């Protein structure tokens, strides 16, 4: 029976890209300009290149999907505030590597005010930047810094005559990142879609795992599902770790055989229209949790569910993490993995960092165009309060070393459960609820289909 594709959500409109540029320009002081580059193609080996992935900040402001482009924002310029430089139309090159948008279509399809080919850039840029004093650019972009240094040299005569020319550089990244932190309705539609595809991929993995399968074969099940639904690349390197491999937080080797009686941890998400899904599930290779696996799993699950339930405007990731530490520490003491008071305050165990032997990462990160998305976690030294439109992950885990002092039943177990959650006006929405995480639901999906 032919499969049905999930309905495609609305794409970001050129009006939304324009509004983002306007909002950024509104935040700039007088006599300033923004310069931001597209990503470049990167050689993989000899004539082969890595698949192109646009720079997230450049994409956020332009939606323009090609390499080797430059966006210049000139607040208050009567002739047009947004100027794009892009690759030239070239029939020969296009015959090899595909259609190029070109300057003319860049204006009509992407809503910039003016567009020129890259060949015109060096001649036009000094003119465009006349009268601009502060240039906002990504200060970690070495090529961009070299470009503006050469522009300053070119504008030196004007500077000597006392005319206003670029004399200060400032980092544009924090201004863009503060805006990227709050997702629009259309962005949330794309993230819902990335999450749904990712959830479907995890379901497929649960339904297709069996002892003896290699970790990368399970990876293939997930990535098949991503691509089939139009999430053309994973949002980050897929992690499939059987047994103790699950204790390596960024295990991407994915080459071992999955063993009967072990758990397997999968951390994988598809990228749709550049927005990331990011899901982790941990389940038994043979479809049934052992009693010890189940005990440890329930500790992580309870901490995870309570953390998800706590997501709401006004709370902080730091407060959510503290709740997770408390719940995991309680569970570790109960299972005999940590010494400590079974009753009474846990403060001692929390303060002495005993739990860190088993849980050493943060509970959450922002999610969006980047899997570890942009936006600071603290404001004026204090944890940032959650607000509607923010998207975050909730991903506690326990990773039990294979060590002599650990009760044998738990040795070498790694468990993480991760969902993607939007902060709404009244609480939260879980984007990744389509993939089970309760023990009974997982076993039912794996054993009964
Ligand atoms: N997959 C990376 C993370 O969960 O943070
Ligand atoms: Mn994550
Ligand atoms: Mn993840």
């Amino acid at each position: 029976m032919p499969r049905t594709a999930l309905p495609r959500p609305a794409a970001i409109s050129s009006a939304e890209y324009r509004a983002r540029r306007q909002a950024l320009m509104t935040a700039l002081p007088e006599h300033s300009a923004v310069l931001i580059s597209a990503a470049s193609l990167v050689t993989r080996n000899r004539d082969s290149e890595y698949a192109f992935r646009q720079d997230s900040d450049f994409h956020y402001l332009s939606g323009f999907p090609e390499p080797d482009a430059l966006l210049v924002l000139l607040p208050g310029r009567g002739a047009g505030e947004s100027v794009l430089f892009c690759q030239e139309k070239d029939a020969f090159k296009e015959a090899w590597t595909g259609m190029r948008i070109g300057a003319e279509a860049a204006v009509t399809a992407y809503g910039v005010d003016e567009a020129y080919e890259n060949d015109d850039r060096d001649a036009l840029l000094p003119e465009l930047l006349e009268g601009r004093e502060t240039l906002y650019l990504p200060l970690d972009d070495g090529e961009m810094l070299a470009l503006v240094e050469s522009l300053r040299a070119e504008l030196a005569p004007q500077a000597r005559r006392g005319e206003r020319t670029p004399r200060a550089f400032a980092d544009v990244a924090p201004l863009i990142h503060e805006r990227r932190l709050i997702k629009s309705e259309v962005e949330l539609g794309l993230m819902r879609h990335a999450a749904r595809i990712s959830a479907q991929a995890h379901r497929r993995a649960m339904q297709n795992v069996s002892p003896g399968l290699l970790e990368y074969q399970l990876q293939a099940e997930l990535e098949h599902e991503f691509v089939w639904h139009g999430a053309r690349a994973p949002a980050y390197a897929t992690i499939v770790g059987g047994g103790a491999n699950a204790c390596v937080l960024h295990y991407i080797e994915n080459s071992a055989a999955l063993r009967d009686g072990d758990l397997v941890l999968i951390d994988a998400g598809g990228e749709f229209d550049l927005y990331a899904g990011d899901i982790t599930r941990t389940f038994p290779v043979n479809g049934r949790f052992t009693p010890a696996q189940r005990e440890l799993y329930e500790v992580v699950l309870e901490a995870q569910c309570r953390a998800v339930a706590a997501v709401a405007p006004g709370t902080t990731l730091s407060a959510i993490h503290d709740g997770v530490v408390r719940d995991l520490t309680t569970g570790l003491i109960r299972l005999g993995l940590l010494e400590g008071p079974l009753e009474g305050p846990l403060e001692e165990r929390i303060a002495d960092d005993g739990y860190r032997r088993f849980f050493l990462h943060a509970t959450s990160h922002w999610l969006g165009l980047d899997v570890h998305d942009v936006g600071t976690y603290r404001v004026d030294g204090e944890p940032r309060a959650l607000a509607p439109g923010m998207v975050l992950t909730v991903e506690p885990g326990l990773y039990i070393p294979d060590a002599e002092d650990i009760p044998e039943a738990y040795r070498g177990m790694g468990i993480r459960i991760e969902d993607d959650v939007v902060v709404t006006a009244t609480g939260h929405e879980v984007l990744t609820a389509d993939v089970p995480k309760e023990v009974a639901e997982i076993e039912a999906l794996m054993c009964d289909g």
Side-chain angles (χ1 to χ4, degrees):
M1 198 171 62
R3 303 179 64 191
T4 343
L6 299 167
R8 196 204 188 290
I12 310 284
S13 66
S14 62
E16 184 163 339
Y17 288 115
R18 178 179 280 276
R20 291 173 181 178
R21 293 192 292 270
Q22 292 298 340
L24 174 61
M25 285 190 271
T26 307
L28 300 180
E30 258 198 302
H31 311 302
S32 53
V34 175
L35 291 109
I36 182 156
S37 291
S40 300
L41 279 165
V42 180
T43 301
R44 181 177 184 274
N45 60 305
R46 202 161 158 80
D47 290 341
S48 301
E49 282 143 353
Y50 285 104
F52 178 68
R53 167 52 160 85
Q54 188 55 281
D55 176 85
S56 297
D57 284 341
F58 179 88
H59 172 79
Y60 179 78
L61 291 175
S62 70
F64 193 73
E66 291 185 358
D68 297 324
L70 172 71
L71 179 67
V72 185
L73 302 182
L74 301 157
R77 177 172 175 263
E81 295 181 308
S82 303
V83 181
L84 184 83
F85 292 94
C86 61
Q87 298 180 120
E88 74 283 8
K89 295 289 286 175
D90 180 320
F92 180 75
K93 287 183 181 155
E94 290 181 56
W96 282 93
T97 52
M99 203 273 291
R100 290 175 171 191
I101 293 162
E104 214 178 301
V107 173
T108 46
Y110 293 88
V112 289
D113 298 310
E114 288 175 14
Y116 302 97
E117 293 181 347
N118 284 334
D119 279 351
D120 297 327
R121 191 188 74 178
D122 292 350
L124 289 177
L125 261 187
E127 244 173 74
L128 289 171
L129 294 177
E130 265 175 30
R132 307 279 159 179
E133 248 169 12
T134 311
L135 300 188
Y136 282 81
L137 30 117
L139 291 183
D140 59 358
D141 182 343
E143 275 184 39
M144 179 67 85
L145 287 169
L147 173 69
V148 294
E149 269 310 331
S150 73
L151 280 167
R152 265 162 56 86
E154 236 175 283
L155 291 167
Q158 286 92 321
R160 279 195 292 274
R161 289 200 296 272
E163 290 169 24
R164 203 174 262 128
T165 56
R167 64 177 82 234
F169 302 151
D171 197 4
V172 72
L175 297 174
I176 300 174
H177 296 175
E178 194 65 16
R179 284 164 178 76
R180 279 179 52 189
L181 189 54
I182 306 291
K183 276 69 180 175
S184 70
E185 274 312 312
V186 181
E187 285 184 291
L188 290 177
L190 295 171
M191 293 197 71
R192 241 173 238 123
H193 198 62
R196 222 175 140 196
I197 293 169
S198 306
Q200 226 162 280
H202 279 259
R203 291 177 68 94
R204 182 182 173 114
M206 287 178 184
Q207 289 174 304
N208 285 282
V209 68
S210 59
L213 203 70
L214 295 160
E215 290 165 340
Y216 61 73
Q217 292 170 331
L218 206 48
Q219 174 184 353
E221 297 291 347
L222 289 138
E223 293 182 4
H224 168 97
E225 203 68 13
F226 293 164
V227 177
W228 199 92
H229 288 290
R232 302 289 293 278
Y236 52 91
T238 298
I239 296 168
V240 181
N245 291 338
C247 296
V248 180
L249 295 180
H250 288 168
Y251 175 80
I252 53 170
E253 198 179 311
N254 300 355
S255 60
L258 296 166
R259 294 185 318 191
D260 201 358
D262 275 354
L263 294 172
V264 57
L265 179 154
I266 298 181
D267 184 344
E271 182 181 273
F272 187 82
D273 277 8
L274 274 69
Y275 286 86
D278 183 10
I279 301 180
T280 307
R281 288 292 185 269
T282 310
F283 50 91
V285 169
N286 65 15
R288 294 273 176 219
F289 285 83
T290 66
Q293 287 168 350
R294 188 184 176 124
E295 281 169 346
L296 199 68
Y297 185 88
E298 299 277 11
V299 170
V300 179
L301 181 64
E302 192 184 328
Q304 204 262 358
C305 290
R306 281 159 59 105
V308 170
V311 175
T315 190
T316 67
L317 295 187
S318 158
I320 291 171
H321 181 72
D322 288 348
V324 161
V325 165
R326 178 165 283 274
D327 287 344
L328 293 182
T329 303
T330 308
L332 287 165
I333 294 170
R334 201 177 64 236
L335 298 186
L337 287 156
L338 268 186
E339 283 178 26
L342 267 178
E343 309 286 334
L346 297 166
E347 266 57 33
E348 242 178 83
R349 276 292 80 91
I350 292 170
D352 73 8
D353 280 356
Y355 70 89
R356 281 185 179 271
R357 186 177 180 203
F358 309 105
F359 176 50
L360 42 86
H361 57 78
T363 298
S364 300
H365 55 79
W366 308 129
L367 186 70
L369 287 170
D370 294 306
V371 63
H372 292 168
D373 208 32
V374 293
T376 59
Y377 290 94
R378 301 178 82 83
V379 178
D380 297 331
E382 294 298 322
R384 183 192 280 275
L386 296 183
M390 293 179 179
V391 185
L392 55 120
T393 66
V394 177
E395 50 179 306
L398 285 176
Y399 313 92
I400 313 299
D402 187 358
E404 292 278 308
D405 62 327
I406 301 284
E408 212 172 325
Y410 302 118
R411 285 185 197 164
M413 254 185 228
I415 294 169
R416 179 163 66 254
I417 305 170
E418 176 176 29
D419 283 306
D420 303 344
V421 185
V422 185
V423 184
T424 63
T426 51
H428 63 267
E429 172 191 348
V430 180
L431 299 180
T432 43
D434 289 349
V435 54
K437 60 183 177 184
E438 296 289 338
V439 166
E441 289 171 352
I442 292 175
E443 290 187 346
L445 181 65
M446 293 183 71
C447 300
D448 316 327

